Amino acid sequence: GDSVTQMEGPVTLSEEAFLTINCTYTATGYPSLFWYVQYPGEGLQLLLKATKADDKGSNKGFEATYRKETTSFHLEKGSVQVSDSAVYFCALIYSGNTGKLIFGQGTTLQVKP
Amino acid sequence: GAGVSQTPSNKVTEKGKYVELRCDPISGHTALYWYRQSLGQGPEFLIYFQGTGAADDSGLPNDRFFAVRPEGSVSTLKIQRTERGDSAVYLCASSLPGTGLYNEQFFGPGTRLTVL
């Protein structure tokens, strides 16, 4: 079945460091891909999305490119801030018709000043 | 405007008891989803409503779990004979009309259920 795998956390970086969080997926067909973020004490929020191969989603300095050939959707940011500390979830839309999301296990990012 | 709200925010119960968790979606969102998030894991799909009907309940783990949405707005997730393994954060999300394939799902803050 469809699934999403993320790199293990936690990821600890200093402020202004470069961030990469790896995400790979297994899916039937061509799903849409998402990154959600969960800040401490808050609900899940959509960070960015890409709906077809080679699309690049971007928001708040974060980017991810839909790579069909490597079935990947890695999240990157050039210079992280303390306020980026959160749990990041990669997800895909199930290839059926219900729009249910399939999530990875999440990666915790800690940014130190 | 108001986001998705869930009540209670925390629920502690004893093994074998019955619990109800409530979700109030964003006004006008006809699609509603329930997910369950265990500690250290990503959310797992439970059930999807389009309007009043459950269009996909394939994620409900067993027949102790049931959800309703009688008027197409508020939804209640019901768990009978709770077990310690049911302890998790239960998340609700809603989206605009349609399957949600390209419609952003807006998540509530969740209900943390602890079964002692």
Side-chain angles (χ1 to χ4, degrees):
Chain A
D2 297 351
S3 65
V4 176
T5 302
Q6 294 180 230
M7 62 187 288
E8 294 276 340
V11 173
T12 303
L13 296 173
S14 297
E15 208 164 21
E16 299 183 1
F18 183 85
L19 168 71
T20 300
I21 300 178
N22 290 339
C23 170
T24 58
Y25 67 90
T26 302
T28 306
Y30 304 101
S32 294
L33 302 173
F34 303 82
W35 278 99
Y36 276 80
V37 59
Q38 190 169 36
Y39 297 105
E42 298 185 18
L44 275 169
Q45 303 173 24
L46 178 64
L47 180 60
L48 53 85
K49 70 179 183 184
T51 58
K52 62 184 186 296
D54 300 325
D55 265 4
K56 178 184 283 188
S58 60
N59 185 26
K60 299 182 180 179
F62 290 89
E63 293 183 338
T65 301
Y66 188 141
R67 301 287 189 198
K68 191 178 73 165
E69 62 277 11
T70 55
T71 61
S72 65
F73 193 55
H74 305 322
L75 182 68
E76 297 182 335
K77 188 175 185 183
S79 175
V80 293
Q81 305 300 312
V82 171
S83 58
D84 294 327
S85 298
V87 183
Y88 292 82
F89 294 91
C90 186
L92 63 81
I93 284 285
Y94 181 66
S95 57
N97 274 334
T98 64
K100 69 183 183 186
L101 287 160
I102 295 174
F103 288 89
Q105 73 271 34
T107 303
T108 299
L109 170 65
Q110 299 172 338
V111 181
K112 298 188 174 180
Chain B
V4 178
S5 62
Q6 293 185 246
T7 54
S9 55
N10 280 284
K11 176 71 177 177
V12 180
T13 190
E14 294 180 342
K15 181 175 178 296
K17 299 290 188 183
Y18 168 84
V19 297
E20 289 189 350
L21 312 178
R22 176 189 168 109
C23 172
D24 240 302
I26 294 171
S27 178
H29 283 193
T30 60
L32 186 147
Y33 301 80
W34 284 99
Y35 295 84
R36 178 169 71 173
Q37 186 175 13
S38 300
L39 192 63
Q41 301 296 316
E44 292 181 310
F45 169 79
L46 294 176
I47 187 169
Y48 157 65
F49 287 90
Q50 183 58 258
T52 60
D56 183 352
D57 63 359
S58 62
L60 294 178
N62 52 59
D63 61 6
R64 295 187 297 105
F65 288 75
F66 189 71
V68 295
R69 196 184 184 199
E71 297 178 357
S73 178
V74 170
S75 176
T76 304
L77 179 66
K78 308 180 180 194
I79 310 174
Q80 299 177 320
R81 304 183 305 278
T82 51
E83 300 177 356
R84 293 194 180 89
D86 298 336
S87 296
V89 176
Y90 289 81
L91 299 171
C92 177
S94 69
S95 71
L96 286 169
T99 64
L101 196 63
Y102 298 104
N103 291 331
E104 180 179 349
Q105 292 182 29
F106 293 84
F107 283 81
T111 293
R112 182 176 298 278
L113 175 66
T114 303
V115 182
L116 301 177

